[in-house]
Amino acid sequence: SYGDPGILAVIAHEMGHALDDSMGAAWISSGWTPELRADAWAACTLARSHLSQSDMHQALAALGKYPSPAHPSWNLRLPAIRSGYTHCGGDASVIH
């Protein structure tokens, strides 16, 4: 129901786990859980995908709708998502 942007977001989150395990990044907070770090990497991927604002809203809706049981609440996920998005060139004003 969230189209290709939703699929991209979910796959990017899963890929974020692999990126976090293999690369890490200076902008990733060491205090974040693995799920928050994967969210940040997913948002970085979304920023580099240059989605329209509408597509970005669909992507974020998919991330929020299908969290794993290990995910914290959305209000804790949002700062990590915003950080990843802005560190990879996205405009934080589309993240809310």
Side-chain angles (χ1 to χ4, degrees), residues 7-50:
I7 294 168
L8 174 62
V10 171
I11 291 171
H13 173 88
E14 295 308 320
M15 185 175 70
H17 286 291
L19 290 171
D20 188 55
D21 287 344
S22 63
M23 294 176 48
W27 53 268
I28 300 279
S29 172
S30 61
W32 289 343
T33 66
E35 293 301 334
L36 293 176
R37 293 192 305 267
D39 278 341
W41 279 111
C44 178
T45 300
L46 294 173
R48 299 223 174 176
S49 296
H50 304 289

Side-chain angles (χ1 to χ4, degrees), residues 13 32-37 39-40 60-82 95-96:
H13 173 88
W32 289 343
T33 66
E35 293 301 334
L36 293 176
R37 293 192 305 267
D39 278 341
L60 292 174
L63 285 178
K65 174 90 176 186
Y66 301 107
S68 77
H71 275 101
S73 66
W74 186 250
N75 66 329
L76 294 176
R77 294 176 71 190
L78 202 52
I81 290 169
R82 189 174 287 116
I95 309 275
H96 39 75

